[in-house]
């Protein structure tokens, strides 16, 4: 659909895996693992681009406040704004690119919610029917909570006067 997937995108996604593999595997094993990972990443990116393309075709819009909320949520994971920006730099992504990525994710989610969610209508009768057919899956065996109270006799007592609860 005239969408471009660049080698840079693939490399950016694979960079953390490469760093992890580098310390654990031989060069030959790294090449094989990265080839497998590259194929999986390509398939994932193609799927994402196709879904995003459909979202654009359906004119799905995302509110700017939703994007701002996603950015704020991402920033909360870091102790400071400087560390957040350092993490972006380490991932070779700018704040503007991150905002675009969040916008695309939100568009994709909206499309999926519209297409999949709209087709899901479950009536109370269907719920009851399912429950009745699968009631054994919802049954829980009887349970008992047991607690011990230990009563320790104080030293030097005749066992009938003073008790200490532990």
């Amino acid at each position: 659909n005239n969408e471009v997937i660049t080698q840079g995108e693939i490399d950016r996604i694979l960079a953390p895996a490469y760093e992890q593999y580098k310390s654990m595997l031989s060069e030959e094993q790294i090449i094989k693992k990265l080839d497998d990972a590259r194929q999986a990443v390509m398939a994932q990116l193609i799927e994402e681009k196709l879904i995003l393309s459909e979202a654009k075709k359906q004119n799905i819009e995302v509110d700017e406040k939703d994007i701002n909320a996603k950015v704020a949520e991402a920033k909360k994971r870091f102790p400071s704004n400087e560390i957040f920006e350092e993490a972006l730099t380490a991932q070779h992504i700018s704040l503007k690119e991150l905002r675009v990525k969040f916008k695309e994710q939100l568009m994709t989610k909206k499309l999926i919610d519209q297409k999949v969610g709209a087709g899901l209508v479950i009536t109370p009768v269907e719920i009851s029917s399912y429950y009745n057919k699968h009631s054994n899956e919802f049954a829980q065996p009887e349970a008992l909570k047991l607690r011990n109270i230990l009563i320790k006799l104080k030293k030097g007592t005749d066992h009938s006067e003073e008790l200490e609860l532990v």
Side-chain angles (χ1 to χ4, degrees):
N1 291 354
N2 295 324
E3 294 285 334
V4 175
I5 297 174
T6 66
Q7 185 65 45
E9 280 180 276
I10 295 168
D11 291 344
R12 188 175 338 144
I13 294 168
L14 290 176
Y18 175 72
E19 290 301 318
Q20 183 181 7
Y21 294 154
K22 193 166 65 172
S23 64
M24 301 178 340
L25 304 172
S26 69
E27 191 67 33
E28 193 174 287
Q29 291 172 318
I30 291 173
I31 292 170
K32 174 154 180 24
K33 287 275 191 184
L34 285 179
D35 283 343
D36 294 344
R38 179 173 279 109
Q39 293 301 318
V41 166
M42 288 272 287
Q44 180 185 351
L45 287 174
I46 290 169
E47 184 177 316
E48 288 174 5
K49 296 283 186 181
L50 289 171
I51 294 171
L52 182 61
S53 178
E54 182 63 23
K56 288 176 181 175
K57 193 165 115 179
Q58 298 284 330
N59 293 319
I60 293 181
E61 295 293 324
V62 174
D63 196 347
E64 198 66 28
K65 69 178 181 172
D66 293 334
I67 299 169
N68 292 338
K70 289 277 281 184
V71 171
E73 184 182 314
K75 283 183 177 182
K76 280 184 197 175
R77 296 184 195 136
F78 296 89
S80 70
N81 196 40
E82 292 77 28
I83 295 174
F84 171 71
E85 290 181 13
E86 287 173 11
L88 289 178
T89 302
Q91 293 290 320
H92 306 291
I93 188 170
S94 69
L95 182 58
K96 185 177 179 179
E97 291 170 321
L98 181 66
R99 292 179 63 81
V100 168
K101 188 162 195 63
F102 284 157
K103 179 180 180 179
E104 290 174 351
Q105 287 175 354
L106 290 167
M107 287 174 69
T108 299
K109 184 181 181 322
K110 271 188 167 183
L111 175 70
I112 291 170
D113 289 348
Q114 282 180 0
K115 297 297 180 185
V116 175
L120 294 177
V121 179
I122 301 172
T123 65
V125 172
E126 290 173 315
I127 293 171
S128 293
S129 174
Y130 180 85
Y131 176 78
N132 290 334
K133 289 178 184 174
H134 299 90
S135 61
N136 61 334
E137 294 175 26
F138 298 102
Q140 292 184 1
E142 287 188 35
L144 176 68
K145 287 188 179 181
L146 179 66
R147 295 180 184 219
N148 286 340
I149 298 177
L150 177 62
I151 301 175
K152 182 178 173 185
L153 297 175
K154 287 187 174 182
K155 290 186 179 181
T157 64
D158 67 359
H159 306 299
S160 62
E161 296 173 9
E162 295 183 44
L163 298 177
E164 176 186 359
L165 290 178
V166 179

